[in-house]
Amino acid sequence: MRIAMFSARSYDRRFFSEVAEQEGHDLTFLEARLDRQTVTLAEGYDAVCIFVNDTADEEVLAALAAGGTKLLLLRSAGFNHVDLAAAEEHHLTVSRVPAYSPYAVAEHTVALMLAVERRLHRAYNRVREGNFALDGLLGFDLRNKRIGIVGTGKIGEIVARIMRGFGCSLRAYDPYPNDNVRDYGVRYVDLDTMFEECDVITLHCPLTPDTHHLIDADAIAKMKPGVMIINTSRGALVDTRAAIEGLKSGQIGHLALDVYEEEGDLFFEDLSDRVIQDDVFSRLLTFPNVFITAHQAFFTEEALRNIAETTLGNARAFEQGERSGNELTREEVLGDPQKA
Ligand code: NAI
């Protein structure tokens, strides 16, 4: 199958080339992001493979279909960037990688929690500059702290398991509770109770119209003063402007992000020679108690190999007229809470 790989980086080339050889697919790696301008590059390709900051709206999907593309391969779990209704209308099959390594994301979540809480970002720079003073680096024990997990699917469940090992007291909110998580001593509560009770709130639910700006000014006002917020899920779960106000007032004590609502203009690129035009993001970078990584929670050897194998396995199933089980349709997404 001829597949155009958009937003391809050196690591995509490495892992996908290895698997493509075994699977017999013909891949073209394109650095360009898929959008209304670049969609013409996909003309004549049976399948197009995209990542989280590519555009797959009505116009792009219509152009893909008109150019002969039949299959849209998402090399991600999240699919909030795809207009599934339009895909259906244009007879495009959409498949994703539902679980490439929930461990990668859960472990990065805990890494962020520890880094921001123990001020490791500041300590690293200080020691390199010969400054061995400890002022400003005071942390707290995670043991006995209350951790609130929003979304207890594959990633949230692993976060619960890890944090239980730290001796934390665990709360969770999910409209579809997970019995495995209850076994780790997690108590399901409503969101307001979680906001009132928890020292740390970590987000692991998908981005949907319901969860857009789940953490807004109202939610932040209900939280414990000095709360820690961690987001490794999707940027728009957090209203960044409200978070900045929360940081300024001290209501938010620590903020760690792997995702940002306007990350499409920033992440996955080397912009170190340019002036960042996003004033909101630049403001975030000025806080000593904010730690940001650029959507790298998924970025482990195991996850990348799994993404390549599953994505190209999805392509093979499609080519052979079979279902891989990873296809997304509007009906299935609406009917299946695990996919919503
Ligand atoms: P999952 O589908 O296994 O779990 C999501 C959970 O969220 C489900 O239990 C679902 O019932 C729950 N949920 C749905 N609506 C909710 C709401 N309104 N409030 C609270 N919970 C709700 O998904 P998984 O694999 O655990 O991934 C979670 C999210 O992590 C993905 O949606 C994706 O956006 C993000 N992600 C981020 C990555 C990164 O590199 N930073 C990599 C992979 C995923």
Side-chain angles (χ1 to χ4, degrees):
M1 178 174 261
R2 291 186 71 229
I3 306 174
M5 308 278 302
F6 279 85
S7 300
R9 299 288 178 267
S10 58
Y11 41 87
D12 296 309
R13 200 179 281 266
R14 177 183 149 202
F15 287 95
F16 272 86
S17 298
E18 278 172 23
V19 182
E21 221 167 276
Q22 299 151 22
E23 294 269 356
H25 296 299
D26 175 8
L27 308 187
T28 302
F29 293 96
L30 302 163
E31 282 202 14
R33 198 190 297 169
L34 178 66
D35 60 25
R36 292 170 192 192
Q37 277 75 47
T38 60
V39 68
T40 50
L41 296 171
E43 219 171 283
Y45 283 87
D46 311 305
V48 161
C49 181
I50 64 171
F51 197 46
V52 292
N53 289 328
D54 291 291
T55 303
D57 61 11
E58 213 293 312
E59 198 173 316
V60 168
L61 294 174
L64 283 179
T69 298
K70 303 256 178 310
L71 175 64
L72 184 65
L73 297 162
L74 312 184
R75 47 182 197 278
S76 62
F79 50 86
N80 52 283
H81 54 310
V82 181
D83 184 337
L84 290 176
E88 202 172 85
E89 192 184 318
H90 295 289
H91 308 291
L92 277 161
T93 298
V94 182
S95 66
R96 65 168 181 156
V97 186
Y100 39 87
S101 176
Y103 297 95
V105 183
E107 289 170 14
H108 191 78
T109 301
V110 179
L112 286 180
M113 220 179 267
L114 289 169
V116 73
E117 181 261 304
R118 302 308 294 264
R119 304 278 201 259
L120 296 186
H121 51 307
R122 304 189 74 195
Y124 175 79
N125 287 327
R126 277 195 195 182
V127 170
R128 286 172 74 89
E129 286 174 10
N131 176 357
F132 307 112
L134 297 181
D135 311 70
L137 302 183
L138 190 66
F140 58 82
D141 292 2
L142 279 167
R143 184 173 171 275
N144 285 340
K145 292 293 179 302
R146 282 205 186 126
I147 314 289
I149 302 170
V150 182
T152 49
K154 290 176 284 297
I155 295 169
E157 177 180 334
I158 298 165
V159 170
R161 200 186 310 163
I162 298 173
M163 296 321 293
R164 185 181 63 154
F166 275 78
C168 297
S169 165
L170 303 175
R171 304 280 183 274
Y173 169 74
D174 192 313
Y176 305 96
N178 169 346
D179 284 338
N180 296 338
V181 167
R182 283 205 175 95
D183 292 344
Y184 305 138
V186 173
R187 187 151 67 78
Y188 279 97
V189 293
D190 59 39
L191 268 184
D192 281 358
T193 307
M194 177 188 287
F195 293 155
E196 279 158 28
E197 289 187 350
C198 288
D199 304 289
V200 177
I201 308 239
T202 181
L203 305 176
H204 303 290
C205 60
L207 176 62
T208 64
D210 277 352
T211 60
H212 183 264
H213 285 185
L214 183 84
I215 306 299
D216 59 8
D218 281 352
I220 293 168
K222 288 175 189 158
M223 293 178 190
K224 281 175 95 165
V227 64
M228 177 192 294
I229 300 173
I230 313 281
N231 187 9
T232 59
S233 193
R234 283 292 178 267
L237 295 177
V238 176
D239 177 346
T240 315
R241 285 186 165 78
I244 287 172
E245 290 311 311
L247 286 159
K248 282 163 73 179
S249 69
Q251 176 70 2
I252 299 177
H254 305 79
L255 178 69
L257 305 174
D258 185 54
V259 285
Y260 167 60
E261 51 185 329
E262 302 297 335
E263 70 178 47
D265 293 333
L266 300 169
F267 288 6
F268 308 121
E269 307 291 340
D270 178 359
L271 304 179
S272 51
D273 278 344
R274 307 212 206 136
V275 174
I276 290 181
Q277 300 297 322
D278 183 331
D279 293 345
V280 175
F281 188 76
S282 299
R283 180 68 178 104
L284 270 184
L285 295 179
T286 66
F287 292 99
N289 48 353
V290 171
F291 192 109
I292 303 177
T293 53
H295 209 137
Q296 72 172 79
F298 74 100
F299 200 57
T300 64
E301 292 258 346
E302 291 80 358
L304 290 195
R305 189 159 296 113
N306 202 335
I307 288 171
E309 286 170 358
T310 308
T311 304
L312 296 182
N314 291 344
R316 185 189 53 231
F318 179 83
E319 203 173 26
Q320 296 175 346
E322 293 166 3
R323 281 179 68 82
S324 65
N326 298 327
E327 295 82 4
L328 289 167
T329 64
R330 195 169 35 151
E331 278 71 25
E332 276 177 328
V333 169
L334 291 175
D336 179 352
Q338 290 306 315
K339 283 189 180 173

